[in-house]
Every structure is written in structure tokens, then in C-alpha cells.
Amino acid sequence: MDFKTFSHFRAETRAEFDHIEDWLDEAFGDSRDNLFQILDERPADLAVVAAKRRKGMKYFAAGRCAGQRLFASWLFPFFEGDPLIEDYRAAIKDVLKVAGGSVQPRTRHKLSFDLGTLYFTGDNVGNIFGVVASECFPMDDAFKFLQEMLDIYDGIDVASALDTADPSIWDEPHFRDDAFGVKELATGAWRNLSRPHDGFCFEPSAEFMAAAGIRPAILRI
């Protein structure tokens, strides 16, 4: 290969790299450095690192203080498959165990931990309701969702149903995850509060979202 041909290919290669650089700037803007930090992590940790950085309200759980048993536990759309679900579940169980008895009905409580923020409240029969969200998710929206969940469960005789349930049923995942079949209603309430960039590790630029055809209405269907 002569020098002229080599120079031609080198220029074309540099141009391609320039296009990639431009795309990164357009897609991630000021978050570009954070992207490279994630890519530098060990491959085995990427799923966990990404899960920690994803924005939005990720997880909901509800349980009774007596016995520290959950009767609702699920990830919201955009977050299904999150490898940290057991950690979220453990966090709400810790609240049931440690603080449950002191949580007054419909009061607001916030607990920051290394996986985000746990917002929780209680009802008047000894149940705790909580969500795990990223730190950037608005606190008022988190509690707006929890208030809706309290209203939904107020129409259900949770105490009687749980008191008369066969003890072995607590070992059934479908009972623990959605004992009263309210997940669909909860998902509807969640969609009304989700933001255009929820589910992303970074907040994409407006240009990137427009190019990808991502609009708030699409995310809330």
C-alpha cells in the first residue's frame, strides 16, 4: 500500500470516529463521561451498575408489620428483570421489621440507601406501602402514587383476608407478589407519573429522543 492510499484510508477511519464522537455528544450530552465510566466497569457488574443508575420509580411493595409478610411486590415496566429486586424487597422488609409499628397512617417517610430512595407510608391497620425510586424522581410524585395505592387497598378487607389465609400460601410467589390482584391498577397509576426519560441510565438529549421517536405519550401507553 502506497502512502497516498494509506492516507486516504486513515482519513476515512478518522471521519468514522468523528461521527461516533458526534453521536455520543448528541445522545448523552453532559452524561457522556458517566457512560464511559459504566463501560469501564467489569462486564459481570454492568447489569448491576446500569440498574443502579436507571431513572424512575422502579419497584413497589406492600406488607403487614405483624410477621413482616409481603402481599405485593413487583417491578414496574421499564425495570422488569432488574437484578436488584431482592435487595429492594429486603429494604421494605427491613422497614416492616424496624419501623413498621411506628409509621402512622398516611404519613410520609423517606429512606436513602445505596440503591436509590425508599419512600413509604402506612395505613390504619398496620400495613406498610413503599416504592424504590432513583434519587432524581420527585418525592411528591412518589407519595402521590402511594396515596393512590392506599385508596385502592382501602377498598379491600386486607386484614381479614390475610388473617384467614392458609399459612402455607405465604410461600407462593404469586400470593406474595400480588395477593389481591391490583397490579394492573397500580401500573396505570405508575404510567401517569412516569417521565419521558424514565428507564434510561442517563437523561437523553432532546435531539436524541426526537431522532429515536421517543415521546412522553409513547412511554405512558
Side-chain angles (χ1 to χ4, degrees), residues 4 20 41 53-54 65 88 97 132 138 162 187 194 197 211 215 221:
K4 183 176 181 181
I20 293 172
E41 298 283 346
R53 298 191 180 207
R54 293 176 76 187
C65 299
Y88 303 152
K97 181 179 181 180
V132 173
L162 297 181
T187 300
S194 64
H197 55 276
R215 300 189 305 275
I221 289 175

Side-chain angles (χ1 to χ4, degrees), residues 106-128:
R106 296 184 181 266
T107 54
R108 294 185 171 197
H109 303 270
K110 173 184 176 182
L111 176 65
S112 295
F113 64 130
D114 59 345
L115 303 181
T117 304
L118 172 62
Y119 298 102
F120 61 96
T121 187
D123 62 12
N124 57 3
V125 291
N127 298 316
I128 297 294

Side-chain angles (χ1 to χ4, degrees), residues 2-204:
D2 58 35
F3 183 75
K4 183 176 181 181
T5 303
F6 168 75
S7 297
H8 173 74
F9 281 118
R10 182 176 62 178
E12 286 192 344
T13 302
R14 284 179 173 173
E16 290 303 319
F17 277 107
D18 287 342
H19 290 156
I20 293 172
E21 292 271 336
D22 291 342
W23 179 84
L24 287 170
D25 283 335
E26 178 183 332
F28 299 101
D30 294 337
S31 299
R32 176 182 164 183
D33 290 340
N34 292 333
L35 171 66
F36 289 133
Q37 184 179 342
I38 279 188
L39 294 177
D40 284 339
E41 298 283 346
R42 291 176 298 169
D45 296 335
L46 282 177
V48 172
V49 172
K52 288 182 178 179
R53 298 191 180 207
R54 293 176 76 187
K55 300 175 182 295
M57 187 160 54
K58 308 176 182 183
Y59 170 79
F60 168 75
R64 66 188 320 192
C65 299
Q68 293 89 55
R69 302 277 194 172
L70 296 181
F71 54 82
S73 172
W74 62 72
L75 292 164
F76 291 113
F78 308 157
F79 304 98
E80 292 170 347
D82 190 318
L84 299 172
I85 183 171
E86 292 300 330
D87 297 289
Y88 303 152
R89 190 175 285 133
I92 194 70
K93 282 188 172 182
D94 285 344
V95 169
L96 289 173
K97 181 179 181 180
V98 176
S102 62
V103 176
Q104 297 301 310
R106 296 184 181 266
T107 54
R108 294 185 171 197
H109 303 270
K110 173 184 176 182
L111 176 65
S112 295
F113 64 130
D114 59 345
L115 303 181
T117 304
L118 172 62
Y119 298 102
F120 61 96
T121 187
D123 62 12
N124 57 3
V125 291
N127 298 316
I128 297 294
F129 303 80
V131 294
V132 173
S134 59
E135 293 181 358
C136 65
F137 192 81
M139 181 174 67
D140 285 346
D141 285 350
F143 282 110
K144 186 181 295 183
F145 172 82
L146 289 174
Q147 291 298 325
E148 291 194 44
M149 295 309 299
L150 285 171
D151 292 340
I152 290 172
Y153 280 102
D154 273 350
I156 302 170
D157 191 354
V158 174
S160 295
L162 297 181
D163 288 340
T164 57
D166 187 320
S168 65
I169 204 171
W170 290 100
D171 296 325
E172 297 291 334
H174 71 274
F175 184 83
R176 176 202 63 197
D177 294 346
D178 190 15
F180 300 100
V182 304
K183 184 176 180 179
E184 186 174 347
L185 286 173
T187 300
W190 170 86
R191 285 195 178 104
N192 291 333
L193 296 168
S194 64
R195 304 166 300 173
H197 55 276
D198 282 349
F200 287 94
C201 291
F202 309 102
E203 185 169 350

